Amino acid sequence: MPEPGKKPVSAFSKKPRSAEVAAGSPAVFEAETERAGLKVRWQRAGSDISASEKYGLAAEGTRHTLTVRDAGPADQGSYAVIAGSSKVKFDLKVVDAGKAEPVSAPAPAPTEAPAPAPTEAPEALGEAPTSAPEVEAGAPSPEGSSSAAPEGPSAPGDPIGLFVMRPQDGEVTVGGSITFSARVAGASLLKPPVVKWFKGKWVDLSSKVGQHLQLRDSYDRTSKVYLFELHIMDAQASFAGGYRCEVSTKDKFDSCNFNLTVHEAVGPGDVDLRSTFRRTSLAGGGRRISDSHEDTATLDFSSLLRKSSLRTPRLEAPAEEDVWEILRQAPPSEYERIAFQHGVTDLRGMLKRLKGIKRDEKKSTAFQKKLQPAYQVSKGHKIRLMVELADPDAEVKWLKNGQEIQMSGSKYIFESIGAKRTLTISQCSLADDAAYQCVVGDEKCSTELFVKEPPVLITRPLEDQLVMVGQRVEFECEVSEEGAQVKWLKDGVELTREETFKYRFKKDGQKHHLIINEATLEDAGHYALRTSGGQALAELIVQEKKLEVYQSIADLTVGSKDQAVFKCEVSDENVRGVWLKNGKELVPDSRIKVSHIGRVHKLTIDDVTPADEADYSFVPEGFACNLSAKLHFMEVKIDFVPRQEPPKIHLDCPGRVPDTIVVVAGNKLRLDVPISGDPAPTVIWQKTITKGNKVAAGPAPDATEESGAGDEWVFDKKLLCETEGRVRVETTKDRSIFTVEGAEQEDEGVYVVTVKNPVGEDQVSLTVKVIDVPDAPAAPEISKVGEDSCTVRWEPPAYDGGQPVLGYILERKKKKSYRWMRLNFDLLRELSHEARRMIEGVIYEMRVYAVNAVGMSRPSPASQPFMPIGPPSEPTHLAVEDVSDTTVSLKWRPPERAGAGGLDGYSVEYRREGSGSAWVSALPGLIERTSLLVKDLPTGARVLFRVRAHNMAGAGPPATTKEPVTVQELLQRPRLQLPRHLRQTIQKKVGEPVNLLIPFQGKPRPQVTWTKEGQPLAGEEVSIRNSPTDTILFIRAARRAHSGIYQVTLRVENMEDKAQLVLQVVDRPSPPQDIQVAEAWGFNVALEWKPPQDDGNTELWGYTVQKADKKTMEWFTVLEHYRRTHCVVSELIIGNGYYFRVFSHNTVGPSERAAATREPVFIPRPGITYELPKYKALDFSEAPSFTRPLVNRSVIAGYNTTLCCAVRGSPKPKISWFKNGLDLSKDARFRMFSKQGVLTLEIRKPCPFDGGVYACRATNLEGEAQCECRLEVRGGAGAGPYARNLEGSWTGHLPAAGCVCKCVHWSGGSTRRAA
């Protein structure tokens, strides 16, 4: 694996290329390595290829060849060649012999960048440029579809935007598949970029993911490049159109547009003229490359000639059609097809000309209102598609993807109301996402329906896990929908599929799995699964692998032919181990058996012999520990005794002091007692049963005479004589065996063995102690719950199992989960523990295990559920709002942090000033409001107040008033707070209500008095309403008599405040008076009138004068808002009679009536002769002259530049531009502009070859003028947007350094400088 930061070196100097061959032909792929002797492997679909009748493998020096003989459809697919750590992928496509296009032999590839390691993604930028399009989107997919590819091997990267490679235009056949790829540089990005795919202008494709569309993304850590793919499957005709890809980061944004063309499927007998005449290039594997290479390609007529023999009938010449009319009605995606069908070779010129043609929209004769271009509806909701017809009786058909919709159930509802036709689709699903059409006769209107899926919810969250280093981790989460798109995150960073397959993502219906094969310490953290509708969070704790020995192996002493059992118990049941004998591995056989059941490892040796005496060890795999014990062989020697020998028990420690034998509960207890005697003695086994007030751990039974008088011991002996069952006795000639299968607590006690014969007897006492795991502790208690921690306390178990408790193990789980997570690997010695690293707002439970030398107890009952949550912070902005003699009004704002469970309420307390007084609760319980009126306070006392916020965790810190509050109502001077709009004259129209509200201050409550013109208000029409904080004057319907000056007086004891309000009630004015005709002459009439008698109690705005012809009596306004009382009405018609009337206006409106003339005024017909004036003709002709000539320029290559000059002349001169004497009018790279005498030549993206002498020539009938300049085009190494901005700033501004843009505009023979 290459070192980080270094570019890997490829093992190939020449790489195989993708190829397309005809069926039955051989396919040959060649590869050359950097050095000879390198082992090369060929693969197909991940499997190695070996030499056979189908495949031929050849190697000669550094050249390696793969030959696929007699290629068929089954051979097409993806192939790869591997050498060392380099891997190159390529594709083979097999087509029918009649359809195969000639493909030349692959040209030798130039020296390319090294390929990535086999574990790296083939899309890495370290791959050669020619192979990258083949691996990702260069070769057609096995279904026969093709994907979008870069514009060629040498497509330049984007020097400014975020894209390394932009998605390109693509073509696909109906039913095929295509992939659009976009690469984004991630070396300078702190977070992954956000990429969105759109169809058209606004349709977000992320909501369309499903059967026909998939969005993929990946990240190459070697090249630090993000790859985003849009994969379209089973393409339909409606998929054609424009698409857009947007990429955004924290401070950057970039976008790219591309088009998708969907062709109809071509039958085997049809002739595909487009594919015959399509310009092709072999550089891209048989696909079209960019438009800039079209002119260099060739046309292939051979396939057309071959296919023409298939057509027996002759094609008739098509009728002559108007190409421009067809193009004006066609969508942009069809321009190329139409141009090809009608022989238009200059596609760019056609589009330029078409852009200048005004598109004439035909008005529909069948529809008054058509469908909208697109509709969007959420999944499960209903949508209504409505059209309005011109003919209410017309028949309507509704189509879905070209198929007529039939009436079936309640899915589709057809409605007809007058001229409106409605299609209602109920319970919309993804199947309803389609193109719909409404057909009326020969006309139709279309729309697209997009079904938006509802947010994906999490039905079963993630669970916390605790694992050891190297273990497998699997997170599982269940969502509400199958196949939903989810994201996995670790500590807020999105996880991706790495080359080493660190993380594996698995989908199983609604379940999503994240799998980590071998956990490391770096994998610890918080993992989240994020959907469109929520997020699930869980914690992974990874700890160092540590093995605990619960029971070690012990030394054994056994006799001949006996069974020796070594047993140990470790903490991990998955740990395997090796048994050693004197340091050498022990090989099991028929006599030596090794077993592993759970956490217990056993070594069993049957029929022990002296050779088995040795040191035995158990070594766990992967851990540096060793458990050892020694096996002692006990040889029983019985001396020859004469007959009539008294019985004797042969033990290592015979005597009267009992020996203690310890056995673990559940294990087998076997006591072998060698005996001797002649004649054969009788063996009696007895168990001593102790009764009394003391526990059984007192002195032995044979020492009862030494016990004190106060010890009330009562012994009873139980005879053990069963030969079968769990407890049994077996006696032979030389030994007696006592066996207990599965030792229990009741088997503990003192066993007495007695042997008797006629000569005598012997007796030995053996003490058996049964030890076990402790009992389960009681349920732990939770206290001191914090934001992410709590304190757990528990009591020791009632029974310790006969061995002291070594420590405790604590576990926790979420309330709704079934997975317990261990919190400690080192045993806890104390009876309390502070648990940390919990998530606030999640409900947990705790349980505890007790551990002794035997093992671990059963778990305790779960604790009461609890939620880690911290107390809230203190309330903010505590303030005293009002104070009276016995009450204080407080208000505050909620605390900044309330906790995950929200607030339960607030508690308010107060106390007198002084350290000795205690805090008193203002109200029992909690309140939810953020204000409180504290009542029944002692008058004159100085009181402090404090407010606490409470939640599930308890009370937070208090917010206390800064200074004590004196409980005494203060005398406050009365003050009227007159609003701004009441300080001016208040105008109301007659009949309108009057509502004047004036706030005020003052304590005690002030006395309010209203007067008008110095007199108290009287009458039922005017009402006064007072409150502690404001006063209101209300008049239901204003009259002119209500106008006047109102005064409000506010009084508190001997203090007062006054305010005046001016109310003006206005009405319409009366009409003007005494209108008369003062004079009439020619076409004019002079009118006079007097002002109205009543102005409506407001200023007049003016008069409106109207005239009416005597014949029609239709009134027309002559003057509006006219302020004088006399006027002249002109432009009257000779021979007609006129009436005149005048309205008066004020702020309310015009007068209800008008003052009008009683008799008409006639306009006579005078005789008038008009003579046309004579003017002397002037000659403005002028030869062209340049008022501002061209100036030499030096520009940067790749940025548009302009040459400007100014000319004058009459008539308007004809302008021509030349470069080195050649006319530029027909060169599409140059654009000429002429506006107001300012001449501009725009050069699009100049290159060094565009430098030279440019000339501008102006010609008219009066003469000719010409000016020249020299243009120098420098290289684009230092060019950038700043140069472009400088260049753009030259146009239309005063020159900074020799710029010619201080332009003189030509306008009708005169000149004017540009502003």
Side-chain angles (χ1 to χ4, degrees):
M1 185 173 180
E3 297 179 11
K6 294 187 178 180
K7 199 171 184 179
V9 180
S10 175
F12 294 100
S13 60
K14 175 183 175 182
K15 302 181 181 181
R17 302 280 300 279
S18 298
E20 179 179 323
V21 300
S25 303
V28 180
F29 301 97
E30 295 182 356
E32 290 187 6
T33 57
E34 291 287 349
R35 54 186 177 86
L38 195 63
K39 183 178 179 181
V40 174
R41 293 185 297 146
W42 299 85
Q43 291 185 345
R44 180 193 176 192
S47 302
D48 290 346
I49 297 176
S50 57
S52 62
E53 296 180 357
K54 187 66 177 179
Y55 301 104
L57 303 180
E60 181 179 353
T62 61
R63 183 177 180 182
H64 301 265
T65 305
L66 167 65
T67 304
V68 183
R69 305 184 182 94
D70 191 17
D75 297 323
Q76 66 180 1
S78 177
Y79 292 77
V81 58
I82 300 176
S85 62
S86 299
K87 180 178 182 180
V88 177
K89 291 186 177 181
F90 54 93
D91 295 307
L92 171 62
K93 182 180 180 182
V94 181
V95 298
D96 296 338
K99 294 185 179 180
E101 297 181 358
V103 180
S104 63
T111 304
E112 301 164 347
T119 57
E120 297 174 353
E123 298 87 349
L125 290 183
E127 197 71 51
T130 56
S131 62
E134 295 168 0
V135 173
E136 179 171 331
S141 61
E143 298 84 9
S145 60
S146 65
S147 345
E151 291 185 356
S154 61
D158 189 357
I160 300 175
L162 295 171
F163 288 102
V164 176
M165 185 187 75
R166 301 174 181 268
Q168 306 297 321
D169 296 347
E171 300 178 358
V172 68
T173 307
V174 172
S177 302
I178 188 171
T179 301
F180 295 94
S181 302
R183 296 178 186 267
V184 179
S188 61
L189 302 181
L190 299 178
K191 293 184 179 180
V194 178
V195 172
K196 294 184 178 180
W197 299 84
F198 296 88
K199 181 182 180 186
K201 293 184 178 180
W202 60 275
V203 180
D204 191 352
L205 296 181
S206 61
S207 62
K208 310 297 293 180
V209 173
Q211 180 180 0
H212 297 282
L213 185 143
Q214 294 290 334
L215 300 179
R216 304 168 182 167
D217 58 276
S218 60
Y219 178 62
D220 188 347
R221 295 184 181 273
T222 303
S223 57
K224 297 183 179 179
V225 171
Y226 293 90
L227 174 65
F228 301 90
E229 294 180 331
L230 167 64
H231 186 52
I232 300 176
M233 301 160 290
D234 192 14
Q236 306 296 326
S238 60
F239 293 176
Y243 290 76
R244 184 170 83 257
C245 177
E246 291 184 357
V247 56
S248 60
T249 62
K250 183 178 180 181
D251 54 354
K252 293 184 180 179
F253 175 84
D254 201 357
S255 65
C256 176
N257 297 325
F258 56 97
N259 295 316
L260 171 62
T261 304
V262 181
H263 304 294
E264 296 292 336
V266 181
D270 298 337
V271 178
D272 188 2
L273 294 177
R274 293 188 65 197
S275 62
T276 303
F277 284 91
R278 183 183 300 146
R279 295 180 174 91
T280 60
S281 175
L282 300 178
R287 295 172 299 128
R288 292 187 62 197
I289 56 177
S290 64
D291 296 336
S292 61
H293 298 86
E294 285 186 356
D295 296 335
T296 61
T298 60
L299 297 176
D300 180 18
F301 293 90
S302 59
S303 59
L304 177 63
L305 296 177
R306 288 197 302 269
K307 295 181 181 179
S308 62
S309 61
L310 302 175
R311 298 175 291 156
T312 54
R314 295 186 60 185
L315 297 175
E316 296 181 1
E320 193 169 327
E321 296 177 303
D322 186 359
V323 180
W324 301 110
E325 186 65 24
I326 297 175
L327 288 172
R328 288 167 60 186
Q329 304 299 331
S333 60
E334 298 294 323
Y335 287 169
E336 186 177 356
R337 179 183 63 80
I338 297 172
F340 178 80
Q341 289 179 350
H342 294 83
V344 180
T345 57
D346 187 8
L347 180 60
R348 291 185 177 178
M350 179 195 72
L351 295 177
K352 183 177 180 181
R353 180 178 173 186
L354 183 64
K355 191 175 182 180
I357 298 178
K358 185 177 180 181
R359 188 164 180 170
D360 185 16
E361 294 288 346
K362 289 185 178 180
K363 188 174 181 180
S364 174
T365 59
F367 296 96
Q368 287 187 356
K369 183 179 179 182
K370 293 187 177 182
L371 295 170
Q372 297 181 13
Y375 295 86
Q376 185 170 354
V377 63
S378 298
K379 184 179 178 182
H381 292 68
K382 70 178 181 179
I383 185 70
R384 298 182 65 189
L385 310 179
M386 186 182 70
V387 297
E388 190 171 345
L389 308 180
D391 182 8
D393 299 328
E395 293 292 333
V396 172
K397 291 183 180 179
W398 292 91
L399 307 180
K400 174 183 177 182
N401 288 337
Q403 302 293 325
E404 184 176 357
I405 301 176
Q406 303 294 335
M407 179 73 73
S408 59
S410 60
K411 179 66 176 177
Y412 300 103
I413 301 174
F414 302 92
E415 297 181 57
S416 175
I417 304 175
K420 295 182 179 179
R421 301 292 186 270
T422 306
L423 169 63
T424 304
I425 307 174
S426 303
Q427 296 294 326
C428 290
S429 62
L430 295 180
D432 297 319
D433 190 297
Y436 291 84
Q437 292 178 332
C438 180
V439 180
V440 179
D442 296 334
E443 290 193 31
K444 61 183 179 181
C445 59
S446 304
T447 186
E448 278 192 272
L449 176 62
F450 298 95
V451 180
K452 184 179 180 181
E453 296 188 63
V456 179
L457 304 178
I458 296 175
T459 57
R460 193 174 73 186
L462 298 172
E463 297 181 354
D464 297 338
Q465 296 199 32
L466 187 147
V467 297
M468 305 296 295
V469 173
Q471 288 185 345
R472 183 176 183 269
V473 180
E474 180 172 358
F475 287 101
E476 179 181 331
C477 184
E478 187 173 342
V479 297
S480 57
E481 292 191 13
E482 293 188 4
Q485 293 294 322
V486 302
K487 288 184 178 180
W488 288 93
L489 301 95
K490 177 182 181 292
D491 296 330
V493 180
E494 184 177 357
L495 300 178
T496 58
R497 294 176 175 85
E498 300 179 347
E499 297 82 352
T500 56
F501 300 100
K502 175 70 175 179
Y503 304 103
R504 290 200 302 118
F505 306 96
K506 177 182 174 184
K507 291 184 180 180
D508 184 11
Q510 297 179 349
K511 296 182 180 180
H512 294 259
H513 302 262
L514 170 63
I515 301 173
I516 305 175
N517 292 324
E518 294 184 359
T520 62
L521 293 177
E522 291 77 12
D523 294 327
H526 288 84
Y527 288 78
L529 179 134
R530 183 177 299 170
T531 66
S532 59
Q535 175 175 301
L537 186 67
E539 183 182 8
L540 173 63
I541 299 177
V542 183
Q543 296 191 355
E544 290 282 0
K545 185 180 292 186
K546 184 177 180 181
L547 190 67
E548 295 185 17
V549 179
Y550 292 155
Q551 180 181 354
S552 181
I553 57 178
D555 295 345
L556 294 178
T557 301
V558 295
S560 178
K561 300 299 182 179
D562 289 347
Q563 183 187 59
V565 179
F566 291 100
K567 184 180 72 170
C568 64
E569 183 178 359
V570 294
S571 58
D572 191 350
E573 61 183 15
N574 297 321
V575 172
R576 300 181 179 275
V578 179
W579 289 91
L580 305 177
K581 178 181 178 182
N582 291 332
K584 296 182 179 180
E585 185 174 355
L586 191 63
V587 180
D589 53 20
S590 59
R591 193 171 63 88
I592 301 175
K593 299 178 180 60
V594 175
S595 63
H596 174 202
I597 302 175
R599 299 180 299 191
V600 178
H601 297 261
K602 283 186 179 181
L603 170 63
T604 305
I605 305 176
D606 296 330
D607 298 333
V608 177
T609 63
D612 295 327
E613 186 172 10
D615 290 328
Y616 291 85
S617 302
F618 175 74
V619 180
E621 294 182 358
F623 296 93
C625 64
N626 187 0
L627 307 180
S628 302
K630 187 174 183 63
L631 176 62
H632 300 276
F633 181 76
M634 182 179 65
E635 184 176 358
V636 179
K637 297 181 179 181
I638 302 177
D639 298 333
F640 176 77
V641 293
R643 294 183 180 275
Q644 298 295 325
E645 178 183 1
K648 186 177 182 181
I649 299 175
H650 301 274
L651 290 177
D652 291 340
C653 300
R656 295 298 172 261
V657 179
D659 297 326
T660 301
I661 301 172
V662 179
V663 62
V664 178
N667 290 353
K668 180 180 179 180
L669 172 63
R670 174 170 172 161
L671 302 177
D672 291 353
V673 180
I675 58 176
S676 62
D678 193 12
T682 302
V683 182
I684 301 173
W685 286 83
Q686 292 176 310
K687 180 182 179 184
T688 303
I689 301 176
T690 304
K691 296 180 182 180
N693 297 330
K694 293 190 177 182
V695 294
D702 55 352
T704 55
E705 63 276 9
E706 299 177 3
S707 60
D711 296 340
E712 299 179 1
W713 292 101
V714 179
F715 299 102
D716 189 8
K717 292 184 178 180
K718 178 182 178 182
L719 183 63
L720 304 176
C721 58
E722 291 84 356
T723 59
E724 294 182 358
R726 190 180 68 87
V727 181
R728 59 184 181 271
V729 176
E730 300 176 10
T731 304
T732 60
K733 180 180 180 182
D734 57 349
R735 68 182 55 249
S736 179
I737 303 173
F738 176 72
T739 306
V740 179
E741 296 285 350
E744 300 177 355
Q745 186 65 32
E746 62 183 16
D747 298 325
E748 183 175 314
V750 178
Y751 292 83
V752 179
V753 186
T754 305
V755 291
K756 295 180 180 180
N757 68 359
V759 181
E761 69 176 32
D762 194 5
Q763 182 175 328
V764 173
S765 296
L766 302 175
T767 302
V768 175
K769 183 178 181 181
V770 179
I771 61 176
D772 198 355
V773 297
D775 287 349
E781 297 179 357
I782 308 300
S783 62
K784 298 182 181 179
V785 179
E787 184 176 354
D788 62 346
S789 63
C790 70
T791 300
V792 187
R793 298 182 182 277
W794 60 91
E795 296 296 331
Y799 172 62
D800 61 3
Q803 293 289 320
V805 176
L806 302 178
Y808 300 89
I809 295 175
L810 194 62
E811 291 185 341
R812 80 170 183 220
K813 78 174 182 69
K814 297 178 182 177
K815 173 65 175 176
K816 297 182 180 180
S817 173
Y818 298 98
R819 184 191 299 272
W820 289 90
M821 187 173 69
R822 188 169 176 177
L823 299 184
N824 63 296
F825 278 88
D826 295 333
L827 295 179
L828 301 175
R829 307 295 181 182
E830 304 295 332
L831 297 178
S832 64
H833 177 69
E834 184 178 3
R836 294 187 175 274
R837 300 182 64 182
M838 290 182 285
I839 303 173
E840 185 178 9
V842 177
I843 301 177
Y844 290 93
E845 292 179 342
M846 294 281 187
R847 69 180 184 185
V848 65
Y849 294 84
V851 180
N852 62 4
V854 179
M856 189 166 58
S857 70
R858 291 179 292 104
S860 70
S863 67
Q864 291 294 328
F866 68 96
M867 178 188 296
I869 180 172
S873 59
E874 63 181 15
T876 59
H877 299 87
L878 175 63
V880 177
E881 191 174 18
D882 193 10
V883 180
S884 70
D885 289 339
T886 58
T887 62
V888 173
S889 178
L890 302 175
K891 66 177 182 179
W892 60 90
R893 293 183 183 178
E896 296 180 355
R897 187 178 62 83
L903 291 178
D904 293 339
Y906 301 92
S907 64
V908 180
E909 297 174 321
Y910 66 90
R911 69 178 177 89
R912 286 175 174 267
E913 184 181 16
S915 59
S917 57
W919 289 97
V920 180
S921 178
L923 282 177
L926 304 178
I927 62 171
E928 297 181 357
R929 305 186 310 274
T930 56
S931 62
L932 179 65
L933 179 64
V934 183
K935 301 179 181 180
D936 301 330
L937 295 175
T939 303
R942 292 175 57 83
V943 181
L944 287 171
F945 295 90
R946 70 179 185 183
V947 180
R948 293 175 181 263
H950 295 253
N951 64 2
M952 297 176 60
T960 309
T961 54
K962 297 181 179 179
E963 298 292 336
V965 179
T966 303
V967 184
Q968 182 178 0
E969 189 168 26
L970 302 177
L971 184 65
Q972 184 178 8
R973 176 178 292 275
R975 179 184 178 188
L976 287 167
Q977 298 175 342
L978 194 65
R980 185 182 301 273
H981 68 280
L982 298 182
R983 299 176 186 176
Q984 304 172 355
T985 300
I986 306 166
Q987 282 192 353
K988 294 291 182 180
K989 296 179 182 179
V990 174
E992 288 185 347
V994 178
N995 190 359
L996 307 180
L997 186 146
I998 303 177
F1000 58 78
Q1001 294 178 350
K1003 290 184 179 181
R1005 181 174 176 174
Q1007 180 183 0
V1008 182
T1009 305
W1010 283 86
T1011 59
K1012 178 186 176 185
E1013 308 291 350
Q1015 300 298 325
L1017 295 180
E1020 299 180 355
E1021 297 180 357
V1022 181
S1023 61
I1024 305 296
R1025 303 172 187 174
N1026 297 324
S1027 73
T1029 58
D1030 56 40
T1031 179
I1032 299 174
L1033 170 67
F1034 180 73
I1035 303 175
R1036 186 174 301 277
R1039 293 186 293 108
R1040 293 278 293 274
H1042 293 146
S1043 300
I1045 300 176
Y1046 291 81
Q1047 186 178 35
V1048 57
T1049 304
L1050 201 65
R1051 182 181 298 275
V1052 175
E1053 295 182 357
N1054 59 348
M1055 297 178 291
E1056 67 176 18
D1057 190 13
K1058 297 180 180 180
Q1060 286 187 349
L1061 293 85
V1062 180
L1063 177 62
Q1064 183 180 7
V1065 181
V1066 297
D1067 197 0
R1068 293 190 179 194
S1070 62
Q1073 305 178 67
D1074 301 335
I1075 182 172
Q1076 57 185 354
V1077 178
E1079 186 181 0
W1081 74 97
F1083 308 102
N1084 307 311
V1085 172
L1087 300 176
E1088 292 181 354
W1089 63 89
K1090 294 181 180 179
Q1093 185 177 2
D1094 182 13
D1095 60 1
N1097 199 25
T1098 183
E1099 180 185 1
L1100 288 177
W1101 282 9
Y1103 303 93
T1104 298
V1105 182
Q1106 294 182 342
K1107 68 179 180 179
D1109 194 341
K1110 181 180 178 182
K1111 298 177 182 179
T1112 61
M1113 288 307 293
E1114 293 183 4
W1115 293 95
F1116 297 92
T1117 300
V1118 178
L1119 298 172
E1120 281 187 316
H1121 304 295
Y1122 189 75
R1123 291 191 171 271
R1124 299 179 182 177
T1125 57
H1126 55 84
C1127 70
V1128 176
V1129 181
S1130 59
E1131 298 181 0
L1132 301 177
I1133 299 175
I1134 298 175
N1136 288 0
Y1138 291 91
Y1139 288 96
F1140 300 92
R1141 68 181 183 184
V1142 180
F1143 290 90
S1144 55
H1145 284 262
N1146 65 3
T1147 185
V1148 180
S1151 59
E1152 295 181 357
R1153 294 178 295 106
T1157 57
R1158 297 181 180 179
E1159 300 296 334
V1161 180
F1162 290 93
I1163 307 301
R1165 296 178 179 269
I1168 299 175
T1169 302
Y1170 177 75
E1171 291 182 3
L1172 294 173
K1174 296 181 181 179
Y1175 300 98
K1176 182 181 179 181
L1178 298 177
D1179 185 10
F1180 294 95
S1181 300
E1182 180 184 0
S1185 63
F1186 286 87
T1187 60
R1188 179 67 64 179
L1190 294 171
V1191 178
N1192 294 338
R1193 296 287 306 278
S1194 176
V1195 299
I1196 299 174
Y1199 291 81
N1200 292 357
T1201 186
T1202 57
L1203 302 177
C1204 298
C1205 62
V1207 68
R1208 63 177 295 169
S1210 179
K1212 184 177 180 179
K1214 178 183 178 181
I1215 306 302
S1216 301
W1217 289 87
F1218 300 88
K1219 174 195 172 188
N1220 297 332
L1222 299 179
D1223 190 3
L1224 302 178
S1225 60
K1226 296 183 180 180
D1227 195 334
R1229 298 184 60 254
F1230 299 86
R1231 292 201 300 175
M1232 299 101 174
F1233 304 96
S1234 176
K1235 182 178 180 182
Q1236 302 290 335
V1238 178
L1239 310 180
T1240 305
L1241 173 64
E1242 180 182 359
I1243 307 174
R1244 299 182 180 177
K1245 296 184 178 180
C1247 62
F1249 298 101
D1250 291 327
V1253 178
Y1254 287 77
C1256 178
R1257 181 181 301 166
T1259 308
N1260 66 1
L1261 296 177
E1262 299 299 322
E1264 177 180 305
Q1266 178 174 327
C1267 63
E1268 296 180 349
C1269 73
R1270 178 172 297 278
L1271 176 66
E1272 177 186 359
V1273 182
R1274 305 196 305 273
Y1282 182 71
R1284 184 185 305 173
N1285 294 336
L1286 288 177
E1287 181 181 352
S1289 66
W1290 294 337
T1291 303
H1293 295 76
L1294 294 177
C1299 177
V1300 300
C1301 293
K1302 187 176 181 182
C1303 302
V1304 179
H1305 299 276
W1306 174 86
S1307 175
S1310 61
T1311 59
R1312 60 183 179 88
R1313 291 191 179 274

